[in-house]
Amino acid sequence: MRALPSLAAALALSVLPLAASAKGTHSSDHHATPATYQISVTSDGFVPASIKVKRGEPVRLVVTRKTDRTCATEIVIKDHGINQPLPLDKPVTVELTPKKSGQVRYACGMDMIYGVLQVE
């Protein structure tokens, strides 16, 4: 099981929302523009391994697997019924709207490599 990075590493890998387009939004609120976050799958796992998001606001994750040396060849978010393959070096977009505060876990299909959305 791969642990979350140290606090120093987490701070160094902090992510700011990127400019997002409302085009292609699949959330229940079609008028809100999703906050977009880039996630890479590396030999260290999902990078970043923790992202702060807001409850009730649409989120777009753009996930790119950058290594073959990982079991994270898909992203699974059980709480939202998401299981999306991650082809090597191709960005994959996943959209969801967290409905409750707490943690939403994203993981590989074997649930060994993971990260969390910290929902506030």
Side-chain angles (χ1 to χ4, degrees):
M1 183 159 131
R2 201 171 279 259
L4 295 175
S6 69
L7 179 58
L11 291 174
L13 296 172
S14 65
V15 173
L16 297 174
L18 302 172
S21 163
K23 182 178 181 183
T25 300
H26 296 123
S27 71
S28 58
D29 181 0
H30 291 285
H31 300 293
T33 300
T36 301
Y37 301 89
Q38 299 285 334
I39 299 175
S40 296
V41 177
T42 71
S43 57
D44 292 328
F46 289 100
V47 179
S50 180
I51 299 171
K52 288 184 181 181
V53 300
K54 295 188 187 228
R55 179 176 50 91
E57 293 187 9
V59 174
R60 178 180 293 144
L61 305 175
V62 180
V63 187
T64 306
R65 181 168 58 99
K66 299 187 179 232
T67 183
D68 257 341
R69 295 181 158 221
T70 182
C71 68
T73 57
E74 60 194 335
I75 184 168
V76 177
I77 307 174
K78 289 182 185 178
D79 293 348
H80 291 269
I82 295 170
N83 184 335
Q84 184 71 39
L86 298 173
L88 185 62
D89 293 323
K90 295 188 191 268
V92 173
T93 300
V94 175
E95 295 185 2
L96 61 121
T97 302
K99 300 291 185 193
K100 58 184 177 179
S101 298
Q103 292 187 343
V104 174
R105 184 176 165 116
Y106 52 92
C108 68
M110 296 172 59
D111 203 31
M112 294 175 59
I113 299 173
Y114 63 91
V116 293
L117 299 177
Q118 301 285 349
V119 185
E120 300 175 337

